[in-house]
Amino acid sequence: MKIGSKIRFHRLKQKLTQENLSKGIISISYLSKLENNQVTPSDDIVHLLCERLGLNNPVNRPNHLNELLEKWNHALLWNKEDEARSTHEVIQRDLDQTDDLTTHFFYKILCFRVQLIRGNPTEAFSHMVHIQSNYKELNDKLKFYFHKYKGNYYYLRKEYEKAKGELKEAETYFVLGNVVNEEERADLFYLFSLVLTRLHMYRLAIYYGEKALSIFQGVYYQKRCAEVHLLLGICYRRIRNSEDAVKHYEWANFISQSIQYTSLHSKIEQNFGYLKSFMNKSDEAIQHFVKSIELKDSDEEGRLYSILSLVKEHYKLNQRSKVQFWLPKGLELCSKERYPDKFYQLSYYQFALNEFPNGFENFMKEYALAYFKKNGSLLLYAEYSKFLGQYYQRIRKYKLAAFHLNEANIIYEEMLPL
């Protein structure tokens, strides 16, 4: 790392202005050129600047620290919380003993990752901005990590196109940076598959998911294998390949139960229910949804998914008493402000139970469909546009029926080839 970049890094770290650092040594303009690596300073100038920064006798131990950073990164990847915590403590103790910028930037990138794991978007964003301001100083390996975690950040923010772009950059820098950790590549492919699934690009998601699965199986990472099997099952269900969907759900179920991964087991039961419903096996679907609720315990949003699914399935079977049993349980858990997508869906069935009273059309157009469209929930927009179109058919408003059914068909036709 060039000396100018090091001096700039440590000046900013100590919150010194260029005037504070340069006073009595060199001019501000010369320091600016030095920090941008536009001039080559004398040894005397470097010594004086480093002395002012407290770097006159730095212990340069980047190799030792970089090994610790790799160990910390590995512990984070494998969810080894105790090892990650203890390794981080050692790194914090030794970090100020090196002026190697690569080491400091790697540390900041992993701090960015930690905030993502903890679900602290504000703190994560702060780290991301700091790293981005020093992007030109990153080597290709660090650019791989940075783009990967930026992709993760945008995925959590539901900005899936941005996430996709960042992960594509990460894939490029994995090769350029000569990253030898195949588990990191697998994690990248898994994250890519998640993002592509959100973008309804299911065939490409399957491609990346199967690549991730192959690597995770090779290192016997059972937890992640189960997660990938579930994701692949979802993708195969979405492209209407029930046979492969069942195969992956069964593998996910077997692994999750063998390692007591209860939260994933509940999601598998939920998705098995979706599949059985699609296959018109409603009794089996209902059993899976009920089992999912039993496993979810304190997961309020998870229970809502299952309750909504039960409402839909019982309504499809014209089991009104069952709908009346589950519907209020769902509405108790949500509102326009809290889980609004579930609230609007359950409210549709409340209207349906009451034979679509006055206010239904306004509710659908001004609230439910408007919300789904605004938030990019295309499949929900299509599903409930179809329901509104069918309602208009029943009351013989054929122009309105045609409009809403066409809205749904356009979205379904766009999604199907993906």
Side-chain angles (χ1 to χ4, degrees), residues 213-231:
L213 181 61
S214 176
I215 299 171
F216 285 133
Q217 286 173 331
V219 297
Y220 207 65
Y221 193 172
Q222 293 288 72
K223 182 174 184 287
R224 193 49 60 86
C225 285
E227 291 168 348
V228 179
H229 274 303
L230 173 58
L231 183 61

Side-chain angles (χ1 to χ4, degrees), residues 1 3 9 24 31 39-40 42 64 75 90 92 117 126 152 160 189 191 214 233 238 264 275 277 318 336 347 391 414:
M1 193 67 67
I3 188 62
F9 174 83
L31 177 60
V39 294
T40 303
S42 68
H64 160 72
V90 177
Q92 284 181 308
I117 292 170
S126 176
N152 194 358
Y160 302 122
F189 290 158
L191 185 54
S214 176
R238 295 275 174 81
L264 190 75
L275 179 62
S277 176
N318 199 28
K336 289 180 182 178
S347 295
Y391 163 80
E414 288 176 350

Side-chain angles (χ1 to χ4, degrees), residues 41-249:
S42 68
D43 290 343
D44 287 343
I45 289 174
V46 171
H47 175 76
L48 289 169
L49 292 173
C50 286
E51 189 174 43
R52 185 162 289 175
L53 287 165
L55 301 172
N56 51 321
N57 290 304
V59 179
N60 198 354
R61 302 170 64 201
N63 290 335
H64 160 72
L65 278 166
N66 285 337
E67 287 173 6
L68 283 173
L69 287 164
E70 290 287 0
K71 183 180 178 182
W72 186 28
N73 192 35
H74 187 266
L76 293 171
L77 177 62
W78 283 72
N79 295 314
K80 297 179 179 178
E81 294 181 12
D82 291 340
E83 183 181 323
R85 190 181 305 109
S86 61
T87 306
H88 183 213
E89 288 171 0
V90 177
I91 292 168
Q92 284 181 308
R93 185 191 67 206
D94 292 352
L95 190 63
D96 285 338
Q97 297 181 30
T98 180
D99 68 346
D100 185 78
L101 284 196
T102 298
T103 304
H104 282 277
F105 288 139
F106 194 7
Y107 176 75
K108 291 296 289 184
I109 288 169
L110 293 185
C111 288
F112 176 32
R113 180 178 200 175
V114 168
Q115 296 306 323
L116 293 173
I117 292 170
R118 291 176 179 171
N120 297 331
T122 303
E123 288 295 322
F125 181 75
S126 176
H127 284 295
M128 188 174 79
V129 169
H130 175 77
I131 299 163
Q132 188 68 56
S133 68
N134 293 281
Y135 182 80
K136 65 181 181 180
E137 305 296 344
L138 303 183
N139 61 30
D140 288 342
K141 183 177 179 180
L142 293 189
K143 285 178 180 176
F144 159 72
Y145 285 121
F146 183 47
H147 284 295
K148 180 185 166 191
Y149 304 141
K150 275 183 76 178
N152 194 358
Y153 172 81
Y154 286 123
Y155 172 74
L156 294 173
R157 298 270 302 171
K158 300 183 179 181
E159 297 181 52
Y160 302 122
E161 281 294 345
K162 285 185 179 180
K164 178 183 163 196
E166 294 296 337
L167 295 176
K168 199 66 186 171
E169 286 290 301
E171 192 173 14
T172 299
Y173 281 108
F174 184 90
V175 178
L176 294 177
N178 195 29
V179 181
V180 295
N181 190 339
E182 281 296 295
E183 296 157 34
E184 284 291 346
R185 189 204 288 263
D187 196 50
L188 170 65
F189 290 158
Y190 172 60
L191 185 54
F192 221 148
S193 187
L194 283 171
V195 169
L196 292 166
T197 301
R198 294 292 188 176
L199 291 169
H200 312 295
M201 302 173 72
Y202 302 118
R203 296 183 192 280
L204 194 55
I206 288 169
Y207 169 77
Y208 279 101
E210 289 182 339
K211 289 175 73 172
L213 181 61
S214 176
I215 299 171
F216 285 133
Q217 286 173 331
V219 297
Y220 207 65
Y221 193 172
Q222 293 288 72
K223 182 174 184 287
R224 193 49 60 86
C225 285
E227 291 168 348
V228 179
H229 274 303
L230 173 58
L231 183 61
L232 288 170
I234 290 169
C235 290
Y236 278 114
R237 174 174 62 82
R238 295 275 174 81
I239 62 172
R240 304 186 179 188
N241 183 338
S242 300
E243 184 179 345
D244 281 329
V246 168
K247 178 183 73 175
H248 283 288
Y249 286 156

Side-chain angles (χ1 to χ4, degrees), residues 302-315:
R303 292 205 310 277
L304 252 177
Y305 273 107
S306 298
I307 290 170
L308 175 59
S309 300
L310 285 166
V311 167
K312 289 182 175 183
E313 208 62 34
H314 286 302
Y315 185 81

